[in-house]
Amino acid sequence: MTTFIPFGEGPNREGVEYVRRLFEREGLVYEAKVISAGNLGALREKLVEDCCYVVGEHLATYAILDLLHPPAVISVDAHTDLMHDYLDHGSWLAYALENNPDLRAAVFGPVLMIPTTPRTQLWTRRVRIFPALQRTRRTGRRWKAYTSIRPSPARALSKAREYLGEEVYLTVDMDVLRPEYGIARFQHGELGLDELLNLLDGILDNFRVRAFDIAEVSARIKRSKKGKKAVVEVFNLLREGME
C-alpha cells in the first residue's frame, strides 16, 4: 500500500493529491490510503505503518520517524533541515535527532550548509553531510572538504554505510533536483534526474531500506512535464527496490 499525506500549506496538499491521481493513472498505485491532518499532533494519531509514503510538507517525515523508530535515516534533500530553533519543515531532522539519541542520519545533496540567521543554531551531532558539489568547512584553523556525491556517489555511500549501518529510513525531498524540474516551491538543488536515480540506486544497493517517502511535492508539478516524469521515475525505482 502507499500512504499519501497532503500535509502543510495549500500548495503542498494540492501537490500530493495531484501525484496520487498521477500515480493511479500510470498504474503505479493499486491500493492507496490518504491521511489528512491540520497539525502534527493530529497526523501522529492517524498515521499507520507503511513502506511507501508521499508527503507534502517535510515535517510529516518527523511524525513517520516517530512511528517507525528506524535506527538511521537518509535524507536526500537540497537543504540539511538541521536548523535548531523551532520545529518546522526546515528543522525536522534536527529535532528527530535530538529526541532520539539512538538515531543517526546522513544528508545527501544539500546546498544550504549554514544557519540562515546569526541567531539560528545548526544541529551537528550524529549526522553526516554529503553535498552534491565539492564544498569545504572550517575545523579549527583548517578547512576540511566534505565528501561530495559528484562525480560519483560511491565514496559517499561507503562512508554513510560505515556510519549508519544496514537498515535505514529513506526520505527524498524532490527539491534536490535542479530548477528546470519545477517541483519545489522555494530553492532547488543541484542534481539532474539521472544523478538522483543513480544515487537512489546506490542507496538501495548499499542499505536495507525499511520504508521511504517522497516529500515536498508542490502544486507546481501540475505545470511541469519534467517534474511529473521525475516523480514517477523516483517512485517507481524506490517501490521496485522495496519488493
Side-chain angles (χ1 to χ4, degrees), residues 30-44:
Y30 301 101
E31 185 178 3
K33 181 178 181 64
V34 179
I35 297 178
S36 297
N39 57 63
L40 192 61
L43 178 59
R44 280 171 159 164

mmCIF file with all atom_site columns, all heavy atoms in Angstrom, residues 30-44:
data_model
loop_
_atom_site.group_PDB
_atom_site.id
_atom_site.type_symbol
_atom_site.label_atom_id
_atom_site.label_alt_id
_atom_site.label_comp_id
_atom_site.label_asym_id
_atom_site.label_entity_id
_atom_site.label_seq_id
_atom_site.pdbx_PDB_ins_code
_atom_site.Cartn_x
_atom_site.Cartn_y
_atom_site.Cartn_z
_atom_site.occupancy
_atom_site.B_iso_or_equiv
_atom_site.pdbx_formal_charge
_atom_site.auth_seq_id
_atom_site.auth_comp_id
_atom_site.auth_asym_id
_atom_site.auth_atom_id
_atom_site.pdbx_PDB_model_num
ATOM 1   N N   . TYR A 1 30 ? -2.163 0.724  -6.689  1.00 0.00 ? 30 TYR A N   1
ATOM 2   C CA  . TYR A 1 30 ? -3.406 -0.025 -6.764  1.00 0.00 ? 30 TYR A CA  1
ATOM 3   C C   . TYR A 1 30 ? -4.179 0.047  -5.448  1.00 0.00 ? 30 TYR A C   1
ATOM 4   O O   . TYR A 1 30 ? -5.378 -0.164 -5.412  1.00 0.00 ? 30 TYR A O   1
ATOM 5   C CB  . TYR A 1 30 ? -3.123 -1.496 -7.105  1.00 0.00 ? 30 TYR A CB  1
ATOM 6   C CG  . TYR A 1 30 ? -2.390 -1.645 -8.413  1.00 0.00 ? 30 TYR A CG  1
ATOM 7   C CD1 . TYR A 1 30 ? -1.011 -1.882 -8.441  1.00 0.00 ? 30 TYR A CD1 1
ATOM 8   C CD2 . TYR A 1 30 ? -3.059 -1.530 -9.633  1.00 0.00 ? 30 TYR A CD2 1
ATOM 9   C CE1 . TYR A 1 30 ? -0.332 -2.009 -9.644  1.00 0.00 ? 30 TYR A CE1 1
ATOM 10  C CE2 . TYR A 1 30 ? -2.388 -1.659 -10.841 1.00 0.00 ? 30 TYR A CE2 1
ATOM 11  C CZ  . TYR A 1 30 ? -1.025 -1.893 -10.840 1.00 0.00 ? 30 TYR A CZ  1
ATOM 12  O OH  . TYR A 1 30 ? -0.351 -2.011 -12.030 1.00 0.00 ? 30 TYR A OH  1
ATOM 13  N N   . GLU A 1 31 ? -3.469 0.329  -4.380  1.00 0.00 ? 31 GLU A N   1
ATOM 14  C CA  . GLU A 1 31 ? -4.112 0.472  -3.069  1.00 0.00 ? 31 GLU A CA  1
ATOM 15  C C   . GLU A 1 31 ? -3.506 1.689  -2.382  1.00 0.00 ? 31 GLU A C   1
ATOM 16  O O   . GLU A 1 31 ? -2.308 1.722  -2.100  1.00 0.00 ? 31 GLU A O   1
ATOM 17  C CB  . GLU A 1 31 ? -3.881 -0.781 -2.220  1.00 0.00 ? 31 GLU A CB  1
ATOM 18  C CG  . GLU A 1 31 ? -4.628 -0.760 -0.896  1.00 0.00 ? 31 GLU A CG  1
ATOM 19  C CD  . GLU A 1 31 ? -4.412 -2.034 -0.093  1.00 0.00 ? 31 GLU A CD  1
ATOM 20  O OE1 . GLU A 1 31 ? -3.641 -2.892 -0.549  1.00 0.00 ? 31 GLU A OE1 1
ATOM 21  O OE2 . GLU A 1 31 ? -4.995 -2.143 0.989   1.00 0.00 ? 31 GLU A OE2 1
ATOM 22  N N   . ALA A 1 32 ? -4.329 2.705  -2.162  1.00 0.00 ? 32 ALA A N   1
ATOM 23  C CA  . ALA A 1 32 ? -3.831 3.948  -1.589  1.00 0.00 ? 32 ALA A CA  1
ATOM 24  C C   . ALA A 1 32 ? -4.621 4.311  -0.341  1.00 0.00 ? 32 ALA A C   1
ATOM 25  O O   . ALA A 1 32 ? -5.829 4.057  -0.245  1.00 0.00 ? 32 ALA A O   1
ATOM 26  C CB  . ALA A 1 32 ? -3.930 5.078  -2.607  1.00 0.00 ? 32 ALA A CB  1
ATOM 27  N N   . LYS A 1 33 ? -3.899 4.901  0.610   1.00 0.00 ? 33 LYS A N   1
ATOM 28  C CA  . LYS A 1 33 ? -4.540 5.440  1.806   1.00 0.00 ? 33 LYS A CA  1
ATOM 29  C C   . LYS A 1 33 ? -4.189 6.920  1.879   1.00 0.00 ? 33 LYS A C   1
ATOM 30  O O   . LYS A 1 33 ? -3.031 7.292  1.680   1.00 0.00 ? 33 LYS A O   1
ATOM 31  C CB  . LYS A 1 33 ? -4.044 4.722  3.063   1.00 0.00 ? 33 LYS A CB  1
ATOM 32  C CG  . LYS A 1 33 ? -4.698 5.218  4.355   1.00 0.00 ? 33 LYS A CG  1
ATOM 33  C CD  . LYS A 1 33 ? -4.198 4.440  5.552   1.00 0.00 ? 33 LYS A CD  1
ATOM 34  C CE  . LYS A 1 33 ? -4.870 4.901  6.844   1.00 0.00 ? 33 LYS A CE  1
ATOM 35  N NZ  . LYS A 1 33 ? -6.326 4.655  6.843   1.00 0.00 ? 33 LYS A NZ  1
ATOM 36  N N   . VAL A 1 34 ? -5.169 7.768  2.141   1.00 0.00 ? 34 VAL A N   1
ATOM 37  C CA  . VAL A 1 34 ? -4.948 9.207  2.249   1.00 0.00 ? 34 VAL A CA  1
ATOM 38  C C   . VAL A 1 34 ? -5.169 9.622  3.700   1.00 0.00 ? 34 VAL A C   1
ATOM 39  O O   . VAL A 1 34 ? -6.213 9.313  4.295   1.00 0.00 ? 34 VAL A O   1
ATOM 40  C CB  . VAL A 1 34 ? -5.892 9.999  1.324   1.00 0.00 ? 34 VAL A CB  1
ATOM 41  C CG1 . VAL A 1 34 ? -5.657 11.496 1.476   1.00 0.00 ? 34 VAL A CG1 1
ATOM 42  C CG2 . VAL A 1 34 ? -5.694 9.576  -0.130  1.00 0.00 ? 34 VAL A CG2 1
ATOM 43  N N   . ILE A 1 35 ? -4.185 10.291 4.268   1.00 0.00 ? 35 ILE A N   1
ATOM 44  C CA  . ILE A 1 35 ? -4.284 10.779 5.641   1.00 0.00 ? 35 ILE A CA  1
ATOM 45  C C   . ILE A 1 35 ? -4.193 12.294 5.620   1.00 0.00 ? 35 ILE A C   1
ATOM 46  O O   . ILE A 1 35 ? -3.161 12.863 5.252   1.00 0.00 ? 35 ILE A O   1
ATOM 47  C CB  . ILE A 1 35 ? -3.168 10.205 6.528   1.00 0.00 ? 35 ILE A CB  1
ATOM 48  C CG1 . ILE A 1 35 ? -3.287 8.683  6.619   1.00 0.00 ? 35 ILE A CG1 1
ATOM 49  C CG2 . ILE A 1 35 ? -3.212 10.826 7.923   1.00 0.00 ? 35 ILE A CG2 1
ATOM 50  C CD1 . ILE A 1 35 ? -2.192 8.032  7.442   1.00 0.00 ? 35 ILE A CD1 1
ATOM 51  N N   . SER A 1 36 ? -5.264 12.949 6.010   1.00 0.00 ? 36 SER A N   1
ATOM 52  C CA  . SER A 1 36 ? -5.294 14.410 6.083   1.00 0.00 ? 36 SER A CA  1
ATOM 53  C C   . SER A 1 36 ? -5.286 14.833 7.544   1.00 0.00 ? 36 SER A C   1
ATOM 54  O O   . SER A 1 36 ? -5.974 14.240 8.382   1.00 0.00 ? 36 SER A O   1
ATOM 55  C CB  . SER A 1 36 ? -6.544 14.960 5.391   1.00 0.00 ? 36 SER A CB  1
ATOM 56  O OG  . SER A 1 36 ? -6.533 14.631 4.014   1.00 0.00 ? 36 SER A OG  1
ATOM 57  N N   . ALA A 1 37 ? -4.496 15.850 7.850   1.00 0.00 ? 37 ALA A N   1
ATOM 58  C CA  . ALA A 1 37 ? -4.412 16.346 9.221   1.00 0.00 ? 37 ALA A CA  1
ATOM 59  C C   . ALA A 1 37 ? -4.002 17.813 9.184   1.00 0.00 ? 37 ALA A C   1
ATOM 60  O O   . ALA A 1 37 ? -3.191 18.220 8.355   1.00 0.00 ? 37 ALA A O   1
ATOM 61  C CB  . ALA A 1 37 ? -3.409 15.533 10.036  1.00 0.00 ? 37 ALA A CB  1
ATOM 62  N N   . GLY A 1 38 ? -4.554 18.587 10.108  1.00 0.00 ? 38 GLY A N   1
ATOM 63  C CA  . GLY A 1 38 ? -4.266 20.008 10.137  1.00 0.00 ? 38 GLY A CA  1
ATOM 64  C C   . GLY A 1 38 ? -3.044 20.379 10.937  1.00 0.00 ? 38 GLY A C   1
ATOM 65  O O   . GLY A 1 38 ? -2.541 21.498 10.825  1.00 0.00 ? 38 GLY A O   1
ATOM 66  N N   . ASN A 1 39 ? -2.557 19.456 11.767  1.00 0.00 ? 39 ASN A N   1
ATOM 67  C CA  . ASN A 1 39 ? -1.380 19.742 12.577  1.00 0.00 ? 39 ASN A CA  1
ATOM 68  C C   . ASN A 1 39 ? -0.632 18.450 12.866  1.00 0.00 ? 39 ASN A C   1
ATOM 69  O O   . ASN A 1 39 ? -1.119 17.346 12.576  1.00 0.00 ? 39 ASN A O   1
ATOM 70  C CB  . ASN A 1 39 ? -1.753 20.463 13.879  1.00 0.00 ? 39 ASN A CB  1
ATOM 71  C CG  . ASN A 1 39 ? -2.754 19.662 14.707  1.00 0.00 ? 39 ASN A CG  1
ATOM 72  O OD1 . ASN A 1 39 ? -2.470 18.559 15.166  1.00 0.00 ? 39 ASN A OD1 1
ATOM 73  N ND2 . ASN A 1 39 ? -3.954 20.214 14.879  1.00 0.00 ? 39 ASN A ND2 1
ATOM 74  N N   . LEU A 1 40 ? 0.561  18.579 13.444  1.00 0.00 ? 40 LEU A N   1
ATOM 75  C CA  . LEU A 1 40 ? 1.420  17.427 13.670  1.00 0.00 ? 40 LEU A CA  1
ATOM 76  C C   . LEU A 1 40 ? 0.809  16.437 14.650  1.00 0.00 ? 40 LEU A C   1
ATOM 77  O O   . LEU A 1 40 ? 0.905  15.224 14.465  1.00 0.00 ? 40 LEU A O   1
ATOM 78  C CB  . LEU A 1 40 ? 2.787  17.911 14.183  1.00 0.00 ? 40 LEU A CB  1
ATOM 79  C CG  . LEU A 1 40 ? 3.907  16.872 14.216  1.00 0.00 ? 40 LEU A CG  1
ATOM 80  C CD1 . LEU A 1 40 ? 4.198  16.347 12.812  1.00 0.00 ? 40 LEU A CD1 1
ATOM 81  C CD2 . LEU A 1 40 ? 5.177  17.502 14.815  1.00 0.00 ? 40 LEU A CD2 1
ATOM 82  N N   . GLY A 1 41 ? 0.153  16.938 15.688  1.00 0.00 ? 41 GLY A N   1
ATOM 83  C CA  . GLY A 1 41 ? -0.465 16.055 16.666  1.00 0.00 ? 41 GLY A CA  1
ATOM 84  C C   . GLY A 1 41 ? -1.536 15.184 16.056  1.00 0.00 ? 41 GLY A C   1
ATOM 85  O O   . GLY A 1 41 ? -1.604 13.969 16.312  1.00 0.00 ? 41 GLY A O   1
ATOM 86  N N   . ALA A 1 42 ? -2.382 15.791 15.240  1.00 0.00 ? 42 ALA A N   1
ATOM 87  C CA  . ALA A 1 42 ? -3.450 15.030 14.583  1.00 0.00 ? 42 ALA A CA  1
ATOM 88  C C   . ALA A 1 42 ? -2.870 14.021 13.600  1.00 0.00 ? 42 ALA A C   1
ATOM 89  O O   . ALA A 1 42 ? -3.386 12.903 13.463  1.00 0.00 ? 42 ALA A O   1
ATOM 90  C CB  . ALA A 1 42 ? -4.398 15.991 13.869  1.00 0.00 ? 42 ALA A CB  1
ATOM 91  N N   . LEU A 1 43 ? -1.801 14.398 12.917  1.00 0.00 ? 43 LEU A N   1
ATOM 92  C CA  . LEU A 1 43 ? -1.164 13.468 11.979  1.00 0.00 ? 43 LEU A CA  1
ATOM 93  C C   . LEU A 1 43 ? -0.611 12.258 12.710  1.00 0.00 ? 43 LEU A C   1
ATOM 94  O O   . LEU A 1 43 ? -0.758 11.118 12.245  1.00 0.00 ? 43 LEU A O   1
ATOM 95  C CB  . LEU A 1 43 ? -0.051 14.197 11.223  1.00 0.00 ? 43 LEU A CB  1
ATOM 96  C CG  . LEU A 1 43 ? 0.757  13.345 10.231  1.00 0.00 ? 43 LEU A CG  1
ATOM 97  C CD1 . LEU A 1 43 ? -0.154 12.751 9.170   1.00 0.00 ? 43 LEU A CD1 1
ATOM 98  C CD2 . LEU A 1 43 ? 1.863  14.183 9.587   1.00 0.00 ? 43 LEU A CD2 1
ATOM 99  N N   . ARG A 1 44 ? 0.014  12.478 13.843  1.00 0.00 ? 44 ARG A N   1
ATOM 100 C CA  . ARG A 1 44 ? 0.569  11.356 14.612  1.00 0.00 ? 44 ARG A CA  1
ATOM 101 C C   . ARG A 1 44 ? -0.519 10.359 15.003  1.00 0.00 ? 44 ARG A C   1
ATOM 102 O O   . ARG A 1 44 ? -0.297 9.143  15.005  1.00 0.00 ? 44 ARG A O   1
ATOM 103 C CB  . ARG A 1 44 ? 1.251  11.895 15.873  1.00 0.00 ? 44 ARG A CB  1
ATOM 104 C CG  . ARG A 1 44 ? 2.649  12.441 15.638  1.00 0.00 ? 44 ARG A CG  1
ATOM 105 C CD  . ARG A 1 44 ? 3.123  13.135 16.881  1.00 0.00 ? 44 ARG A CD  1
ATOM 106 N NE  . ARG A 1 44 ? 4.563  13.249 16.940  1.00 0.00 ? 44 ARG A NE  1
ATOM 107 C CZ  . ARG A 1 44 ? 5.203  14.075 17.756  1.00 0.00 ? 44 ARG A CZ  1
ATOM 108 N NH1 . ARG A 1 44 ? 4.523  14.859 18.564  1.00 0.00 ? 44 ARG A NH1 1
ATOM 109 N NH2 . ARG A 1 44 ? 6.522  14.120 17.781  1.00 0.00 ? 44 ARG A NH2 1
#
